[in-house]
Amino acid sequence: MRNLSLEPLDRPEGMPTHEYAHRRLRQAIMVGSIRPGESLTIRGIAEAMESSPTPVREALRRLSSEGALKVLDNRRIMVPKMTVERFGELIALRSVLEQHAARRAVPHVTERVIDRMAEIDQAQDGAIARADNATALLLNQEFHRTLYTANPDQILMPMVESVWLQLGPFLGIAMEHVAQLYFVDRHQEAIAALRKRDADAVAAAIDLDIREGIGGFERSAIEHLLRLAGQ
Amino acid sequence: MRNLSLEPLDRPEGMPTHEYAHRRLRQAIMVGSIRPGESLTIRGIAEAMESSPTPVREALRRLSSEGALKVLDNRRIMVPKMTVERFGELIALRSVLEQHAARRAVPHVTERVIDRMAEIDQAQDGAIARADNATALLLNQEFHRTLYTANPDQILMPMVESVWLQLGPFLGIAMEHVAQLYFVDRHQEAIAALRKRDADAVAAAIDLDIREGIGGFERSAIEHLLRLAGQ
DNA sequence: TAATTATATTTGTGATCACATTCTAAAGAT
DNA sequence: ATCTTTAGAATGTGATCACAAATATAATTA
């Protein structure tokens, strides 16, 4: 196993070790810094974050339930490998899930929420301008999350995040081989539609944002990237 | 904490304790035999299944990631309470998720799969006739699962099961107070549509099955049930 | 009697250890 | 050289223990 380097990440006082481990690993997978096929060892992670196997195991169980990790028959744990078919399923699911989340959120959206989204979008533009892909990615997710969590009874955010998590490792590969991830910005359209409380238009903007953004990879481009990464 | 009784459940040789614990608890929640609001203790569960805290904790972490359990601020763990709003969200999500799963499965469905579904449906009718609600519920799930897993690249089954899991405790309440859960059988329509490989018709049948089945509870009926259960 | 404090118990948490399985690689045989 | 065998190391797993926080129970006070 490669010596994995995990960003220290902020740890609020009183947060249990297993949760901290979960957040750190999750973050690492989300931005694609743990490569597919790479196998993780419990002791290795525990050592890397100066704790013990017990809480790390709990974190790994959660991650595997979230689809971020796969337990092999050997009981070895790894980041699932990406395939063209799986990528297609993930994009299609992401579109359906997030359109639904957006529609359900619209009735609860306040001007305050929309303003917040506009701020995030602006920050993301800044990150893109600096070619800071990882930050742009995180801000893009925060943009979407802000919208969906406007619904107080929302229950599908964990599922949306699960899809993001499964897409993460591929983004890591893409970011390595493509100079800059092209964030097709349908965020302005989404914001405009939100101000009019037009649920259909919001859903359409979200759909386009996904399909023209990360979903816009051609089959051949995906195959090429996966081949480059030795998948 | 009440002395919880977990059905022993079959345990294949070599299955780790944490996974066995996960399956047993999951099963119990799925059929609604653990009541919402009831708080679970790690040691209590470990004792009930004659093991130790460590693997039980791993099982609980997974269940909480699957939405089946909620960790409170006290770090206490309980089955989330149901509300009318949450119930509405769950049904709407279930409909969207399963329609999508069905559509993506249709191209991969073979006659073999359809025959299997017909068998399951027949068994479910038998269970309903015997007023065996728990078995009918499980067979209903198997019917749906058989369809969705026909898609080899399917990735949303865990999410569908998560919704089922979150609906479970409410079904437990409903089964206690309603003589018989009325399974509106749109399964025949689904099977007929599948034989014609008509994806739209299949999705429509699944949608009706959900909305007229468990989703058919009126708001007042849900409130009534929750009040009866002291929620 | 009601409220408050003090004590005891329960509970979540994380580190450690022992055991069995799996993986790695060195040694041997074909 | 290639395959097989074998010894060593690494790894997942589950039980146990100690500690701190939370809860419940008993004792005390107003």
Side-chain angles (χ1 to χ4, degrees):
Chain A
M1 186 191 110
R2 171 175 73 89
N3 247 350
L4 64 99
S5 63
L6 296 171
E7 284 183 54
L9 209 74
D10 178 52
R11 177 175 185 173
E13 184 179 3
M15 170 183 284
T17 308
H18 64 85
E19 193 178 330
Y20 181 60
H22 177 257
R23 300 230 324 217
R24 262 173 90 167
L25 287 169
R26 177 194 175 82
Q27 167 94 343
I29 296 170
M30 190 82 97
V31 301
S33 68
I34 299 182
R35 301 286 293 281
E38 182 169 350
S39 78
L40 301 172
T41 66
I42 295 169
R43 284 179 173 88
I45 297 168
E47 192 182 353
M49 37 193 294
E50 297 173 330
S51 69
S52 71
T54 312
V56 171
R57 273 166 62 188
E58 296 176 48
L60 292 180
R61 298 294 170 224
R62 287 188 55 186
L63 261 353
S64 80
S65 273
E66 289 160 17
L69 298 175
K70 218 181 85 176
V71 291
L72 277 51
D73 299 329
N74 345 347
R75 297 185 177 176
R76 217 29 95 63
I77 291 176
M78 57 169 259
V79 176
K81 295 195 178 182
M82 186 58 77
T83 65
V84 183
E85 290 74 21
R86 201 166 86 93
F87 184 79
E89 290 288 336
L90 283 167
I91 296 302
L93 177 56
R94 202 190 146 191
S95 171
V96 166
L97 229 40
E98 298 198 30
Q99 282 190 71
H100 184 248
R103 286 180 186 282
R104 287 252 150 192
V106 169
H108 303 92
V109 165
T110 61
E111 287 299 317
R112 180 92 188 71
V113 170
I114 303 177
D115 292 343
R116 174 91 187 103
M117 289 173 67
E119 281 174 31
I120 298 169
D121 185 47
Q122 209 165 347
Q124 184 186 329
D125 287 343
I128 294 175
R130 295 193 313 274
D132 183 353
N133 279 330
T135 301
L137 180 64
L138 257 19
L139 285 170
N140 185 54
Q141 291 174 355
E142 200 178 333
F143 179 87
H144 287 254
R145 181 168 27 235
T146 301
L147 172 56
Y148 309 148
T149 55
N151 176 359
D153 300 302
Q154 152 274 328
I155 50 169
L156 80 174
M157 200 57 227
M159 300 178 191
V160 171
E161 304 233 16
S162 168
V163 175
W164 291 351
L165 217 33
Q166 294 184 57
L167 248 10
F170 176 78
L171 290 179
I173 295 173
M175 288 197 294
E176 273 185 20
H177 295 91
V178 177
Q180 170 144 7
L181 275 186
Y182 180 47
F183 283 99
V184 180
D185 209 329
R186 294 292 176 176
H187 291 185
Q188 287 305 326
E189 284 89 326
I191 289 174
L194 277 172
R195 295 218 187 268
K196 287 185 271 180
R197 302 297 189 280
D198 183 343
D200 287 337
V202 173
I206 294 294
D207 184 44
L208 277 179
D209 190 59
I210 295 171
R211 303 199 106 89
E212 293 186 353
I214 181 180
F217 280 103
E218 300 286 340
R219 181 187 180 93
S220 57
I222 298 168
E223 283 171 346
H224 183 62
L225 279 174
L226 293 177
R227 200 163 28 239
L228 279 180
Q231 299 290 309
Chain B
M1 186 192 108
R2 171 174 72 87
N3 246 349
L4 65 99
S5 63
L6 297 170
E7 284 183 52
L9 208 76
D10 179 52
R11 178 176 185 174
E13 184 179 3
M15 170 183 283
T17 307
H18 64 84
E19 194 179 328
Y20 181 60
H22 177 256
R23 300 237 316 226
R24 261 174 89 166
L25 287 169
R26 177 194 174 83
Q27 168 93 342
I29 295 170
M30 190 81 96
V31 301
S33 68
I34 299 182
R35 301 287 293 281
E38 182 169 349
S39 78
L40 301 171
T41 66
I42 296 169
R43 284 179 173 87
I45 297 168
E47 192 182 353
M49 36 192 294
E50 297 173 330
S51 69
S52 71
T54 313
V56 170
R57 273 166 62 189
E58 295 175 48
L60 293 180
R61 298 294 171 226
R62 287 188 56 186
L63 260 353
S64 81
S65 272
E66 289 160 15
L69 298 174
K70 217 181 87 178
V71 291
L72 277 51
D73 299 329
N74 347 349
R75 298 184 177 178
R76 221 21 100 62
I77 291 175
M78 58 170 256
V79 176
K81 294 194 178 182
M82 186 58 75
T83 65
V84 183
E85 290 75 23
R86 201 166 86 92
F87 184 79
E89 289 288 337
L90 283 168
I91 296 302
L93 178 56
R94 202 190 146 192
S95 171
V96 166
L97 230 39
E98 298 198 29
Q99 282 189 71
H100 185 247
R103 285 180 188 280
R104 304 287 289 192
V106 169
H108 303 92
V109 165
T110 62
E111 288 298 318
R112 180 92 188 73
V113 169
I114 303 176
D115 291 342
R116 173 91 187 104
M117 289 173 67
E119 281 175 30
I120 298 169
D121 185 49
Q122 208 165 350
Q124 184 185 332
D125 286 343
I128 293 175
R130 295 194 312 274
D132 183 353
N133 278 330
T135 302
L137 179 65
L138 256 20
L139 285 170
N140 185 54
Q141 291 174 355
E142 200 178 332
F143 179 88
H144 287 254
R145 181 168 26 234
T146 301
L147 172 56
Y148 309 148
T149 56
N151 177 358
D153 301 302
Q154 152 273 327
I155 51 171
L156 79 174
M157 200 57 228
M159 300 178 191
V160 170
E161 304 233 16
S162 168
V163 175
W164 291 351
L165 217 33
Q166 294 184 56
L167 248 9
F170 176 78
L171 290 178
I173 295 174
M175 288 198 293
E176 273 185 21
H177 294 91
V178 177
Q180 168 144 8
L181 276 184
Y182 181 47
F183 283 99
V184 180
D185 210 329
R186 294 291 177 178
H187 292 185
Q188 287 305 326
E189 284 89 325
I191 289 173
L194 277 172
R195 296 219 186 268
K196 286 185 270 180
R197 302 298 189 280
D198 183 344
D200 287 336
V202 173
I206 294 294
D207 184 44
L208 277 180
D209 190 59
I210 295 171
R211 302 199 107 89
E212 293 186 353
I214 181 179
F217 280 103
E218 299 288 341
R219 181 186 181 93
S220 58
I222 298 168
E223 284 171 346
H224 183 62
L225 280 175
L226 293 178
R227 200 162 30 238
L228 279 180
Q231 299 290 309

